[in-house]
Amino acid sequence: MSQLTLKEGIIIESTGSWAQVLSKDEIISSRLVGKQRLSEEETTHPIAVGDRVTIALREDKTGTIQKIHERKNAIPRLSTHTRKQAQILVANLDMAWVVQAVKDPRPKPGFIDRFLVTCEAYGVPAGIILNKKDLMSPKEVAKVDWLKNLYTSLRYPVILCSAESGEGIEELKSVLKDKISALIGPSGTGKSSLLNRLDPKLERSTSEISSYSGKGRHTTTFAQLVPLQFGGMIADTPGIKEFGLVDIEPWELSLYFPEMVGPREECKFNTCTHEHEPGCGVMKAFEDGKIDPERYNSYLMILESLKEK
Ligand SMILES: Nc1nc2c(ncn2[C@@H]2O[C@H](COP(=O)(O)OP(=O)(O)O)[C@@H](O)[C@H]2O)c(=O)[nH]1
Ligand SMILES: [Mg+2]
Ligand SMILES: [Zn+2]
């Protein structure tokens, strides 16, 4: 009787029923076989990039996934196919970074806020990368300063950098070193280019921006976790147009806006949605100038989308 060799590893890529598992220095193509599938899971795919797994090595050097270890956290996104089921974009992160360009395409605070809410709700520390600093003209300076001050004041780290010129890349390295991180954002913001600048050996394919639409083509089609030569791992993810929120109740939303956590304690009703209710601590804080109007507006937009569900 042949003996099963068990190995521990991390999923670095997952497409269909095959996954690539990094175990020490080896990459082992592995499969989830019938009965190990977590069929009752609400997610469209039971394994995600970043998952820790135990695999059994077969004679043909492929593996079968025996066990998926409990996740410490995960970033879900609504599946583009069903809109109802959640897909896990990446799991077990030390830090998630939303990537925006200072220009081409222009930064979208609404996207940043939805991302931050998801990270707060799912226990993932988050930060913001503003790339393409080399494109910054006087026109963008005010907006970029505003973004940087706003999110820094909310205690989210903000890194202004350029994959093109290399500016800010040392700072980026220092926050990624020895951690498992992910770069998440719309396509064309420079996620793959940043990875190439951080570690040229990665040779991530990048896309040209088509001049008339300002939108990058989709080059990265699935999330992939890659090791960094200076220590740590990073996930490059496919471009995400919109960040659908999963499993958040309207009354709960303000818990994920750090600046609302204190003021909401003062609300008269504990199910207050801070929209029109009397005796609302959040609306008072907003009127007193303690909550940024754009953030409050983001809050209302997200609240609306949660109510639609
Ligand atoms: N000027 C400038 N262009 C950049 C920078 N980073 C990326 N790009 C360009 O933006 C386009 C999209 O980059 P890519 O890395 O594929 O974006 P991704 O879709 O987020 O992975 C490519 O044409 C890159 O050359 C940057 O810092 N400055
Ligand atoms: Mg890419
Ligand atoms: Zn309230």
Side-chain angles (χ1 to χ4, degrees):
M1 240 179 71
S2 67
Q3 216 179 326
L4 275 182
T5 309
L6 295 179
K7 285 179 181 279
E8 299 296 314
I10 181 168
I11 306 274
I12 56 170
E13 208 182 292
S14 168
T15 47
S17 52
W18 284 93
Q20 303 302 316
V21 176
L22 179 69
S23 175
K24 299 231 171 64
D25 290 331
E26 260 183 304
I27 294 173
I28 303 164
S29 288
S30 303
R31 240 169 0 145
L32 254 185
V33 282
K35 64 179 160 53
Q36 275 93 16
R37 285 204 145 141
L38 309 173
S39 50
E40 76 281 15
E41 281 274 280
E42 281 173 27
T43 52
T44 50
H45 201 285
I47 46 173
V49 166
D51 271 337
R52 306 276 174 175
V53 292
T54 304
I55 59 170
L57 205 60
R58 294 155 49 100
E59 264 163 27
D60 65 0
K61 303 282 185 235
T62 66
T64 53
I65 296 169
Q66 304 288 310
K67 187 173 158 68
I68 303 165
H69 299 272
E70 204 181 317
R71 291 176 183 139
K72 77 168 176 186
N73 60 34
I75 298 204
R77 74 183 269 216
L78 284 184
S79 158
T80 40
H81 303 296
T82 64
R83 305 292 307 163
K84 278 205 182 82
Q85 278 175 306
Q87 214 175 33
I88 304 285
L89 193 59
V90 51
N92 297 322
L93 291 175
D94 294 316
M95 188 91 184
W97 295 91
V98 58
V99 182
Q100 298 272 298
V102 302
K103 188 184 165 185
D104 300 338
R106 67 188 161 77
K108 298 187 183 64
F111 186 99
I112 298 176
D113 292 334
R114 294 179 83 89
F115 168 86
L116 294 176
V117 163
T118 301
C119 290
E120 294 288 342
Y122 289 88
V124 185
I128 297 153
I129 294 173
L130 297 171
N131 185 37
K132 307 201 188 185
K133 186 174 181 214
D134 58 292
L135 297 182
M136 197 157 80
S137 65
K139 210 174 127 213
E140 284 83 34
V141 171
K143 177 88 176 266
V144 168
D145 277 350
W146 174 78
L147 284 169
K148 199 161 178 171
N149 291 335
L150 171 61
Y151 291 107
T152 306
S153 75
L154 297 171
R155 300 188 195 287
Y156 295 110
V158 179
I159 293 180
L160 185 55
C161 61
S162 166
E164 182 77 20
S165 72
E167 231 184 315
I169 296 299
E170 283 309 311
E171 188 188 357
L172 190 54
K173 269 188 188 170
S174 70
V175 297
L176 299 176
K177 191 174 170 353
D178 300 332
K179 293 201 169 78
I180 297 187
S181 318
L183 300 184
I184 296 167
S187 64
T189 51
K191 299 177 293 298
S192 299
S193 305
L194 283 170
L195 259 61
N196 288 338
R197 176 54 91 154
L198 287 162
D199 186 344
K201 282 211 201 76
L202 296 177
E203 297 180 339
R204 308 292 304 168
S205 57
T206 59
S207 61
E208 288 306 314
I209 289 193
S210 55
S211 52
Y212 54 92
S213 73
K215 285 191 180 113
R217 272 184 279 119
H218 303 261
T219 319
T220 311
T221 50
F222 45 85
Q224 199 178 20
L225 200 54
V226 293
L228 292 163
Q229 71 193 355
F230 52 84
M233 294 186 86
I234 191 158
D236 191 6
T237 64
I240 289 181
K241 278 208 203 79
E242 42 171 345
F243 222 84
L245 299 181
V246 182
D247 273 351
I248 295 175
E249 296 295 329
W251 64 266
E252 200 189 346
L253 180 62
S254 54
L255 288 170
Y256 310 126
F257 280 75
E259 68 273 54
M260 295 185 185
V261 172
R264 77 193 290 285
E265 297 285 313
E266 310 300 320
C267 296
K268 192 169 160 194
F269 305 106
N270 57 12
T271 55
C272 187
T273 59
H274 328 301
E275 221 179 350
H276 46 63
E277 295 90 339
C280 172
V282 172
M283 279 154 72
K284 173 148 194 321
F286 170 64
E287 279 152 20
D288 293 347
K290 290 176 185 148
I291 293 174
D292 185 276
E294 286 265 1
R295 285 277 289 175
Y296 185 59
N297 186 47
S298 269
Y299 169 81
L300 293 175
M301 304 275 281
I302 299 173
L303 185 68
E304 220 31 63
S305 69
L306 292 177
K307 283 179 173 172
E308 277 167 19
K309 279 197 259 169

